[in-house]
Amino acid sequence: MRGGDFHLGDVTPHNIKQLKRLNQVIFPVSYNDKFYKDVLEVGELAKLGTKMLNHVLNICEKDGTFDNIYLHVQISNESAIDFYQKFGFEIIETKKNYYKRIEPADAHVLQKSLRSPCAPPAGELHKAE
């Protein structure tokens, strides 16, 4: 392993509480116990990421008040960029020196639009003329 690299191992019954705590700190949504039980059954971290992202996207879409979702990804993290692009995120900007303690310090800003270009904003109706 090079300096700065790390490896996330499989989720097991022995570390599921640490995952739950990480999620509580990192994500603005709460996951119920069934979610963590399902994670143990799946057993693969990539599937966990997909499940968590789908969960967040579903919440935002059902809420109906979100136009876009934004996130930052370190420019060298090609696997994360590919992952998010599969979900419809696009790189819209690169922020120089975004990170203070890691190299490279630059981050891409990714955006996923939740509304079609023709859809009116939530709560706004248009009359046919």
Side-chain angles (χ1 to χ4, degrees):
M1 238 191 267
R2 296 185 332 235
D5 288 349
F6 64 94
H7 173 74
L8 296 176
D10 292 337
V11 176
T12 69
H14 300 289
N15 63 15
I16 193 75
K17 288 182 181 177
Q18 288 90 350
L19 175 64
K20 190 172 185 176
R21 181 65 184 134
L22 270 172
N23 288 346
Q24 289 170 340
V25 171
I26 295 171
F27 296 109
V29 294
S30 296
Y31 298 98
N32 60 29
D33 289 338
K34 183 184 179 321
F35 173 83
Y36 292 98
K37 182 181 177 207
D38 291 346
V39 167
L40 286 173
E41 290 174 7
V42 170
E44 295 179 33
L45 198 53
K47 290 183 181 178
L48 169 65
T50 298
K51 190 168 189 169
M52 289 180 2
L53 183 56
N54 277 327
H55 184 72
V56 171
L57 292 174
N58 287 336
I59 288 171
C60 293
E61 289 171 359
K62 284 179 185 175
D63 181 275
T65 60
F66 295 92
D67 293 328
N68 301 291
I69 298 175
Y70 299 90
L71 54 89
H72 295 86
V73 176
Q74 189 178 21
I75 60 169
S76 62
N77 193 344
E78 294 176 17
S79 61
I81 294 166
D82 290 343
F83 173 79
Y84 289 117
Q85 286 177 330
K86 289 176 185 171
F87 284 88
F89 284 85
E90 297 176 356
I91 296 171
I92 61 165
E93 180 183 357
T94 300
K95 294 194 176 250
K96 298 288 183 191
N97 300 312
Y98 180 79
Y99 298 105
K100 303 297 180 214
R101 296 186 181 102
I102 58 175
E103 289 294 330
D106 300 343
H108 289 309
V109 178
L110 281 75
Q111 173 188 346
K112 177 176 175 66
S113 295
L114 298 177
R115 299 193 189 288
S116 65
C118 299
E124 187 176 316
L125 299 175
H126 295 282
K127 287 185 180 179
E129 302 200 20

